[in-house]
């Protein structure tokens, strides 16, 4: 299992390198595909999409496609309009197919659209910023990097359970190690790329702070995804990524971290 997980992780990182460095339509299209697959996994977990065509799920997929098209075309001023339109469309599906869906499913469908598609699109937004080709990696340092650090520290010295009912293997020591490790990774990364960045900020300090905050949010994203799975009695969201599970199993923390890093980078980089 560890070997499979390691190989899959290496392949994911390699794909991420190519896609993010390339940017543009390649990155936008990749994020759209990831979002659609993630939506499908969530909709199946929430029983919104089970067998046959689900009009409610189709509304979510359609909304995600339009949303990403606006983001790619730099028409972000209209994204709130699309978000509201998706809600109205889903309520229309609820009304005209009644009693096929319960209101909890409609709420879950809209939640999925925001949770997966909207939040994940922040990766593209950060990539298009000035120095975005370097800044975007803070998302993965704060999520995947902190996760690895937390795992290692937890295995070595972890004793105090953080959320025993939700995730018994996670420890307070691991969480602290994850945050500290992410901060160190951010500082080291800043030293490696600072010569390519604009602005006069102390990038080592700024990147360390951004990654530390991102690591804290990463834990919330990871545990939130676990809570959803426990509520619906499933172990993994899917089997697409060998050793990891589905898209949501691997990107659960990234989804939460992406918008946080996006706004922190806008606020801090080049202004301190």
């Amino acid at each position: 299992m560890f070997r499979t997980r390691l190989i899959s992780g290496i392949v994911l990182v390699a794909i991420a390198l190519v896609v993010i460095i390339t940017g543009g339509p390649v990155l936008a299209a990749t994020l759209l595909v990831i979002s659609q697959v993630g939506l499908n996994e969530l909709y199946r977990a929430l029983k919104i999409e089970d067998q046959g065509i689900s009009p409610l799920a189709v509304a979510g997929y359609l909304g995600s496609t339009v949303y990403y098209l606006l983001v790619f075309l730099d028409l972000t001023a209209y994204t709130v309009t699309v978000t509201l339109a998706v809600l109205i469309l889903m309520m229309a599906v609820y009304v005209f197919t009644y009693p096929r869906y319960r209101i909890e499913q409609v709420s879950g469908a809209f939640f999925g659209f925001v949770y997966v598609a909207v939040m994940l699109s922040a990766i593209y937004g950060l990539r298009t910023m000035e120095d975005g080709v370097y800044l975007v990696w803070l998302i993965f340092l704060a999520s995947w990097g902190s996760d690895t650090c937390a795992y290692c520290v937890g295995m070595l010295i972890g004793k105090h359970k953080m959320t025993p009912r939700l995730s018994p293997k996670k420890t307070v020591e691991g969480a602290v190690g994850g945050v500290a490790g992410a901060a160190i990774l951010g500082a080291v990364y800043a030293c490696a790329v600072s010569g390519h960045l604009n602005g006069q900020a102390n990038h080592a300090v700024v990147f360390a702070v951004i990654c530390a905050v991102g690591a804290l949010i990463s834990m919330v994203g990871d545990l939130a995804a676990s809570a959803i799975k426990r509520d619906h009695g499933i172990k993994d969201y899917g089997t697409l990524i060998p050793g990891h599970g589905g898209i949501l199993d691997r990107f659960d923390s990234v989804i939460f971290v992406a918008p946080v890093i996006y706004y922190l980078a806008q606020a801090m980089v080049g202004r301190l």
Side-chain angles (χ1 to χ4, degrees):
M1 174 61 76
F2 177 77
R3 182 180 179 183
T4 302
R5 187 178 178 88
L6 178 62
I7 294 173
S8 296
I10 293 173
V11 171
L12 279 175
V13 171
I15 293 173
L17 279 168
V18 173
V19 171
I20 291 176
I21 291 174
T22 303
V26 173
L27 177 58
T30 302
L31 288 173
L32 175 58
V33 170
I34 290 173
S35 295
Q36 300 290 41
V37 175
L39 268 181
N40 178 260
E41 292 175 353
L42 184 62
Y43 286 170
R44 289 185 179 277
L46 300 179
K47 306 301 182 184
I48 294 168
E49 186 172 19
D50 195 0
Q51 294 181 348
I53 298 176
S54 168
L56 192 56
V58 170
Y61 300 140
L62 177 62
S64 300
T65 302
V66 174
Y67 191 93
Y68 270 92
L69 182 61
L70 292 178
V71 169
F72 174 66
L73 295 175
D74 197 23
L75 297 172
T76 52
Y78 298 98
T79 53
V80 173
T81 302
V82 170
T83 301
L84 295 176
V86 170
L87 177 58
I88 293 171
L89 177 59
M90 288 182 173
M91 291 303 293
V93 171
Y94 174 53
V95 169
F96 291 109
T97 62
Y98 191 85
R100 178 170 179 175
Y101 301 106
R102 300 186 306 277
I103 188 60
E104 292 82 3
Q105 291 174 296
V106 180
S107 301
F110 184 70
F111 161 76
F113 163 72
V114 175
Y115 170 57
V116 181
V118 174
M119 293 179 73
L120 202 59
S121 71
I123 294 177
Y124 185 83
L126 184 55
R127 175 62 177 83
T128 58
M129 284 175 54
E130 184 180 21
D131 297 327
V133 69
Y134 301 105
L135 298 176
V136 71
W137 295 104
L138 296 177
I139 293 173
F140 300 97
L141 290 176
S143 53
W144 293 349
S146 68
D147 184 57
T148 301
C149 292
Y151 175 80
C152 293
V153 173
M155 288 292 291
L156 289 173
I157 61 172
K159 293 182 179 179
H160 301 87
K161 302 297 183 183
M162 186 168 67
T163 53
R165 296 185 64 182
L166 182 57
S167 186
K169 294 183 179 180
K170 294 188 184 300
T171 63
V172 174
E173 293 83 358
V176 173
V179 174
I184 293 171
L185 287 173
V188 171
Y189 177 66
C191 292
V193 303
S194 59
H196 303 283
L197 301 173
N198 296 305
Q200 303 299 318
N202 186 334
H203 292 108
V205 173
V206 172
F207 281 21
V209 171
I210 289 176
C211 285
V213 174
L216 289 170
I217 302 300
S218 172
M219 295 178 202
V220 177
D222 184 25
L223 292 170
S226 296
I228 294 172
K229 287 190 289 186
R230 284 189 176 274
D231 280 347
H232 294 85
I234 58 175
K235 183 178 183 296
D236 294 315
Y237 283 104
T239 58
L240 182 64
I241 308 173
H244 293 269
I247 286 292
L248 292 184
D249 294 297
R250 182 65 277 180
F251 285 84
D252 50 6
S253 57
V254 173
I255 288 171
F256 265 61
V257 170
V260 173
I261 300 294
Y262 172 73
Y263 288 112
L264 284 176
Q266 283 191 324
M268 298 179 68
V269 176
R271 300 187 181 183
L272 298 180

